[in-house]
């Protein structure tokens, strides 16, 4: 592709991963210094601006995401995946969390960029989660040695079906906080509210919605419009950040907060998630795994609201646009034995992106 005179295009693939959308880059195509890299990504995404009109961001945290991928430096994995959350209205770039939705596109991107050879049928890509040090294996459909994006798997929050991407996780417990239960308890009281502070791939504070005078089935618009609720949730989040060993999280995107209520559509539990200030239209993958883990923990407030999981380990989390099924199995002393989820991903464009000067 020809680069226009006077401009510097950067190789980029835009990918829908799960219910998010992000710009995917090879690490070698970005500046190696984090400060220079982040400054470039802000210009690429069009931040700070609530519309991100001068970049490729979509004006929402779910569509202002970046994956940086490279050949792995570890023998047990194939690629390194660094996730970066780019602020929309603020000039921030955060590496303090994973993103399981964007992870759904990493395997296909690695194959397309030649980092992993494609098998005929299904290709397993072993991924090092740089943000946390955990690992995941993505099983990608590659009939004839070519990535296949079309298929018949539907996930809530995405209008059309696509090929399945099976994600299996390992070593995600304590990804950011050092242990599954950072406070040492399955039940804490923060600002007068019962909560479970848990980290199985994503630091999350899980709170029964009823104690805020909510049903737990309100729309994201209703919840975002409740100023008093948002102020109290932020107080809880800031205190939880300290209790979870994350320090001052005023400018951080973790921990997330998830309000839970009894399921009403045949699932395990109903959820409404703040990420951390906007209410998610669905729920993040690793956030869902972590909430399901909270449901499985003896003595947790969420466990008292949840229905029994299917087959003892399959949790259906209801969210504003449907549901997400995850697998979580706990062993003795609440150790995480395994967790996984099925997602889809689709390549939207592949070429050069021209950041604003």
């Amino acid at each position: 592709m020809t680069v226009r005179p006077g401009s510097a295009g950067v190789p980029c693939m835009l990918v829908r991963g799960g219910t998010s959308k992000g710009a995917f880059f090879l690490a070698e195509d970005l500046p190696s210094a984090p400060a220079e890299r982040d400054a470039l990504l802000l210009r690429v995404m069009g931040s700070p601006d609530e519309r991100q009109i001068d970049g490729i961001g979509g004006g929402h945290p779910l569509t202002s995401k970046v994956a940086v991928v490279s050949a792995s430096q570890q023998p047990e994995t194939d690629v390194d995946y660094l996730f970066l959350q780019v602020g929309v209205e603020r000039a921030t770039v955060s590496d303090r969390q994973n993103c399981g939705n964007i992870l759904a596109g990493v395997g296909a991107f690695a194959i397309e960029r030649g980092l992993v050879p494609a098998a005929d049928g299904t290709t397993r890509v072993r991924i090092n989660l740089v943000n946390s040090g955990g690992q995941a294996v993505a099983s990608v459909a590659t009939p004839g040695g070519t990535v296949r994006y079309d298929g018949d798997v539907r996930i809530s929050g995405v209008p059309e079906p696509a090929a399945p991407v099976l994600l299996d996780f390992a070593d995600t417990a304590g990804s950011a906080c050092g242990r599954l239960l950072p406070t040492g308890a399955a039940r804490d009281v923060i600002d007068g509210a019962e909560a479970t502070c848990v980290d199985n791939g994503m630091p999350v504070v899980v709170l029964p919605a009823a104690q805020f005078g909510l049903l737990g089935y309100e729309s994201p618009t209703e919840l975002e419009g409740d100023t008093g609720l948002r102020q109290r949730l932020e107080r809880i989040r800031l205190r939880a950040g300290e209790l979870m060993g994350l320090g001052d999280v005023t400018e951080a995107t973790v921990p997330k907060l998830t309000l839970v209520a009894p399921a009403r559509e045949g699932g395990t539990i109903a959820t409404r998630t703040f990420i951390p200030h906007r209410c998610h239209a669905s729920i993040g993958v690793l956030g869902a795994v972590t909430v399901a883990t909270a449901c499985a923990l003896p003595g947790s407030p969420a466990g008292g609201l949840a229905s029994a999981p299917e087959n003892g380990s399959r949790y259906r989390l209801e969210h504003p646009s449907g549901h997400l099924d995850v697998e979580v199995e706990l062993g003795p002393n609440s150790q995480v034995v395994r967790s996984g989820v099925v997602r889809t991903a689709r390549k939207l464009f592949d070429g050069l992106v021209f950041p604003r000067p």
Side-chain angles (χ1 to χ4, degrees):
M1 184 176 293
T2 302
V3 178
R4 296 175 300 174
S7 65
V10 182
C12 173
M13 183 184 291
L14 190 68
V15 177
R16 176 193 59 75
T19 54
S20 292
K21 186 162 57 178
F24 283 57
F25 298 91
L26 288 175
E28 64 192 52
D29 292 328
L30 296 173
S32 58
E36 293 181 41
R37 177 201 66 202
D38 293 353
L40 174 64
L41 293 176
L42 287 167
R43 301 199 306 274
V44 165
M45 303 305 284
S47 299
D49 172 35
E50 65 179 8
R51 298 177 300 158
Q52 293 182 316
I53 195 65
D54 211 19
I56 62 173
H60 192 282
L62 297 181
T63 55
S64 188
K65 300 185 174 189
V66 168
V68 182
V69 183
S70 59
S72 182
Q73 301 302 304
Q74 302 182 10
E76 64 271 21
T77 52
D78 300 309
V79 296
D80 291 341
Y81 155 53
L82 173 67
F83 170 72
L84 298 171
Q85 179 70 60
V86 180
V88 177
E89 300 179 20
R90 293 187 291 178
T92 59
V93 180
S94 174
D95 64 357
R96 295 188 65 178
Q97 67 181 78
N98 289 310
C99 180
N101 274 307
I102 293 299
L103 172 64
V106 170
F109 177 78
I111 296 167
E112 294 237 31
R113 287 293 191 262
L115 297 178
V116 177
D120 183 4
T122 300
T123 302
R124 286 167 47 88
V125 181
R126 301 171 303 165
I127 302 167
N128 171 37
L129 307 178
V130 174
N131 302 72
S132 65
Q135 297 179 11
V137 176
S139 297
V140 181
T142 52
T146 301
V147 175
R148 179 185 177 185
Y149 293 100
D150 63 303
D152 57 7
V153 172
R154 291 184 177 272
I155 61 174
S156 296
V158 177
E160 299 296 333
V165 178
L166 176 63
L167 299 174
D168 287 307
F169 299 102
D171 300 325
T172 53
S175 63
C177 303
R179 54 180 177 169
L180 182 68
L181 291 172
T183 69
R187 177 187 177 276
D188 291 291
V189 178
I190 306 173
D191 194 40
E194 288 191 338
T196 299
C197 299
V198 59
D199 175 12
N200 190 16
M202 178 70 68
V204 181
V205 184
V206 184
L207 304 136
Q211 61 191 337
F212 299 95
L214 301 169
L215 296 174
Y217 317 120
E218 291 82 359
S219 71
T221 301
E222 288 180 87
L223 294 172
E224 287 186 8
D226 188 335
T227 302
L229 171 67
R230 291 178 63 183
Q231 290 174 343
R232 187 178 179 200
L233 290 179
E234 182 62 4
R235 289 198 304 271
I236 292 172
R237 193 180 79 86
L238 294 177
R239 179 59 182 146
E242 296 174 353
L243 295 172
M244 298 172 79
L246 297 170
D248 182 0
V249 297
T250 303
E251 298 296 325
T253 56
V254 290
K256 314 296 189 189
L257 294 95
T258 296
L259 305 179
V260 294
R264 64 172 185 176
E265 302 292 340
T268 308
I269 200 161
T271 66
R272 295 294 185 269
T273 300
F274 287 80
I275 55 172
H277 305 119
R278 299 289 299 272
C279 186
H280 206 311
S282 54
I283 189 171
V285 170
L286 288 166
V289 169
T290 299
V291 172
T293 303
C295 293
L297 289 168
S300 72
L305 299 173
S307 301
E310 183 181 346
N311 299 325
S313 62
R314 181 173 299 168
Y315 295 77
R316 171 161 289 185
L317 276 66
E318 299 173 3
H319 55 69
S321 53
H323 66 266
L324 174 59
D325 293 331
V326 301
E327 297 268 350
V328 173
E329 183 179 347
L330 300 184
N333 301 317
S334 297
Q335 293 181 330
V336 178
V337 175
R338 57 175 292 272
S339 52
V341 65
V342 174
R343 302 308 275 158
T344 67
R346 192 170 78 82
K347 177 171 64 175
L348 303 178
F349 80 62
D350 191 3
L352 297 178
V353 60
F354 295 90
R356 67 170 186 257

